[in-house]
Amino acid sequence: MAVNLPSSALLLPLISHFLIFITINGQHFTIPESTIEEIQQAFAENNLTSTQLVDFYINQIKTLNPLLHSIIEVNPDARDQAKNADEEKRENQGRRNLGDLHGIPVLLKDTIGTRDKLNTSAGSYALVGSVVARDASVVEKLRKAGAVIMGKASLSEWYKFRSLSRVPNGWCARAGQGVNPYLAKGDPCGSSSGSAISVAANMVAVSLGSETHSSIICPSDHNSAVGLKPTVGLTSRAGVIPVAPSLDTIGPVTRTVSDAVRVLDVIVGFDPRDYEATKRAAKFIPAGGYKQFLNPNGLKGKRLGIVRNPFLKSLNESIFPIFEHHLNTLRERGATVVDNLEIANITTIVNPSQSGELILMMAEFKLFLNDYLKDLLTSPVWSLADIIAFNKNNPDLEKTEEYGQDTFIAAEKTNGIGEKERKAIELMEKLTQNGFEKLMMENNLDAMVTPGSGATSVLAIGGYPGITVPAGYDINGMPFGICFGGLKYTEPKLIEIAYDFEQATMMRKPPPLESFQMTQEFLLESF
């Protein structure tokens, strides 16, 4: 169902009270900012039910979404799924472990397919009413784990690939402009903007996003969330609207590292529907999963390479001393910090037009999007050409004149993987080998450490993993994170490092939503 704000909320905003204690069965339990572990404990102690949790988030969404525009649809079956989870818990009576995500509401980026009453539309009206043949593989895993599918998060429409130069970060036709909950005029980044905003504003427990180039790391960084970008292939992309399968990956966006890891444990694994990539990655999944690497002493003995250039200069100067303080924390926690490292050809790497990344993305997008569309059971559009025509024919609905679709049109002109694309792939491989991989191996590093989200280009072109952890706020209140990046399949090391850093710093704070101008005019303008 579409998310609507009750008229009473227009007159009496309740946002300043969203961090209240709620009383359940005579016990105090604070849902906002609670972790999966804390929620499961409340379930076990009969202080909370999944149904009550879902009801809380539905109320949060009704109150906050007209301001933040981060959720496109709430699942009309969410309460029924929660009731089923509660019934399973009652019948189980603690006899067996039902799993970390049992009864936990999970929000999905609106490109992750669900065979239910929800649309999967990439934020566009062009795909409203389309029907997928089955759940995306990661959704199948979530359902099997007992998670509640809460709804679909907004995003930069079509991953911003409709027009890379004109579509604003966090905007899509179906939800409007996503708003950073920490700074209304701040960039929410994208494309998984809704996933990060919703988690940060306590509108859901955890969420899933996807990343081709920065789409998990950047919005998580900008909205004071934890974003974990897995190595390409560690999680299946089957049933997810593609950009470029050579680079695409699915990962969690959460408030804590421990929550991200618990979600990761559920969604990783081999999938015959995404055969080659997941087969390659499956053998690197550790026995016993990733939760074992939530080590409070995970920084001890690690070698960390600090890459400042060119990433630090793009950030507000007010965060510079905070970043230096964090580097000292890494040292104090037992890490060896190798500072002021440089990545060869970094100017080329961070420019997708020069690195070969954009050439590959253009060609793969047309090829694999058309394949995705052909597999739909019903759809208003069946090809990229159809989508371009839809946008042209619906300029008011899609704001086509304002935001254009030049990247779509350029992609439509491509003809598969030819000589130009093969040369782009070769260039990307050389840049990674002589750049990031050389940096890591010559300095014997466990992870690269960078301020903000600028290093996502480095991780993108090689399919490398990364995790961003909230690191503070600039003088205006805008969040920033620290990104830990590693070689392929080094998630265990990255989790150890990120978890220890998080626990030692605890920089994340709930957004000061009461600072928004809660006028009736502001609320009305948010529609």
Side-chain angles (χ1 to χ4, degrees), residues 79 232 491:
R79 292 193 86 252
V232 171
E491 280 82 358

Side-chain angles (χ1 to χ4, degrees), residues 140-464:
E140 290 179 350
K141 288 176 178 290
L142 288 171
R143 293 196 200 275
K144 186 177 180 181
V148 174
I149 305 304
M150 193 70 195
K152 295 293 179 76
S154 66
L155 69 155
S156 308
E157 185 174 306
W158 290 109
Y159 304 108
K160 200 173 175 174
F161 214 67
R162 196 180 102 180
S163 175
L164 289 170
S165 62
R166 294 173 64 184
V167 170
N169 285 336
W171 177 87
C172 67
R174 293 193 63 208
Q177 179 60 57
V179 177
N180 189 305
Y182 290 87
L183 191 65
K185 295 180 180 179
D187 182 4
C189 206
S191 63
S192 304
S193 50
S195 301
I197 293 167
S198 301
V199 162
N202 286 280
M203 296 159 75
V204 73
V206 294
S207 64
L208 279 193
S210 67
E211 177 153 331
T212 308
H213 178 117
S214 80
S215 292
I216 289 174
I217 298 294
C218 188
S220 298
D221 171 280
H222 283 39
N223 293 279
S224 202
V226 172
L228 199 166
K229 178 210 173 191
T231 302
V232 171
L234 201 63
T235 55
S236 173
R237 290 80 51 86
V240 179
I241 297 174
V243 179
S246 295
L247 311 176
D248 293 347
T249 187
I250 314 301
V253 179
T254 62
R255 289 182 291 272
T256 66
V257 175
S258 65
D259 282 359
V261 171
R262 283 169 166 81
V263 176
L264 183 69
D265 269 333
V266 168
I267 64 174
V268 297
F270 172 71
D271 178 19
R273 297 167 62 198
D274 190 3
Y275 185 86
E276 292 297 335
T278 58
K279 180 183 178 183
R280 209 164 34 239
K283 58 180 172 286
F284 294 98
I285 298 172
Y290 292 97
K291 194 164 63 172
Q292 63 188 299
F293 300 104
L294 293 171
N295 179 2
N297 297 304
L299 282 164
K300 189 174 182 180
K302 298 292 194 301
R303 281 181 63 85
L304 307 178
I306 314 303
V307 179
R308 298 168 180 262
N309 179 45
F311 312 120
L312 194 59
K313 65 180 69 172
S314 66
L315 301 174
N316 189 300
E317 290 185 3
S318 63
I319 70 100
F320 292 1
I322 304 174
F323 181 63
E324 297 300 332
H325 175 76
H326 289 326
L327 296 187
N328 286 331
T329 298
L330 297 177
R331 296 183 184 100
E332 291 168 0
R333 298 296 301 166
T336 299
V337 173
V338 187
D339 205 351
N340 294 306
L341 295 178
E342 298 276 345
I343 298 174
N345 302 304
I346 188 62
T347 304
T348 301
I349 290 170
V350 298
N351 187 334
S353 297
Q354 295 180 7
S355 68
E357 184 184 5
L358 188 56
I359 291 173
L360 180 63
M361 288 170 69
M362 290 276 196
E364 286 199 357
F365 180 72
K366 178 184 176 181
L367 278 174
F368 290 95
L369 177 64
N370 285 347
D371 285 345
Y372 170 89
L373 294 171
K374 288 172 185 174
D375 284 342
L376 296 174
L377 298 182
T378 60
S379 178
V381 291
W382 298 100
S383 67
L384 176 56
D386 287 350
I387 297 167
I388 293 170
F390 179 93
N391 292 338
K392 185 177 180 180
N393 294 332
N394 296 275
D396 294 335
L397 200 60
E398 286 289 335
K399 292 193 175 183
T400 313
E401 292 182 9
E402 185 174 355
Y403 296 143
Q405 54 177 339
D406 52 286
T407 309
F408 269 6
I409 292 169
E412 176 59 24
K413 293 177 180 177
T414 63
N415 292 294
I417 306 299
E419 185 62 24
K420 182 171 71 171
E421 287 75 22
R422 283 190 284 271
K423 286 183 178 179
I425 294 169
E426 290 175 6
L427 175 58
M428 290 164 64
E429 289 175 348
K430 287 180 181 178
L431 289 170
T432 56
Q433 289 167 4
N434 298 327
F436 181 57
E437 289 185 3
K438 186 176 181 180
L439 174 91
M440 294 292 291
M441 290 186 281
E442 285 193 350
N443 292 281
N444 192 28
L445 301 177
D446 293 298
M448 174 182 72
V449 181
T450 52
S453 60
T456 51
S457 299
V458 178
L459 304 178
I461 64 172
Y464 301 113

Side-chain angles (χ1 to χ4, degrees), residues 94-113:
R95 286 190 292 270
R96 62 184 179 89
N97 185 357
L98 294 175
D100 286 333
L101 294 193
H102 190 271
I104 300 294
V106 181
L107 185 68
L108 307 175
K109 187 175 183 175
D110 186 38
T111 52
I112 300 174

Side-chain angles (χ1 to χ4, degrees), residues 2-72:
V3 179
N4 295 310
L5 180 70
S7 59
S8 59
L10 290 174
L11 302 175
L12 185 62
L14 300 174
I15 293 175
S16 61
H17 302 294
F18 93 121
L19 285 176
I20 60 171
F21 287 92
I22 63 171
T23 302
I24 302 171
N25 298 335
Q27 299 289 323
H28 288 308
F29 177 74
T30 309
I31 294 176
E33 296 297 297
S34 58
T35 66
I36 290 173
E37 185 177 16
E38 289 165 346
I39 291 170
Q40 290 295 353
Q41 183 177 350
F43 286 164
E45 294 174 353
N46 295 318
N47 290 329
L48 181 69
T49 67
S50 181
T51 304
Q52 291 167 328
L53 185 62
V54 165
D55 285 345
F56 174 84
Y57 287 131
I58 288 174
N59 187 60
Q60 288 286 93
I61 293 166
K62 286 179 178 179
T63 304
L64 298 179
N65 201 54
L67 293 172
L68 302 179
H69 301 272
S70 61
I71 295 177
I72 297 177

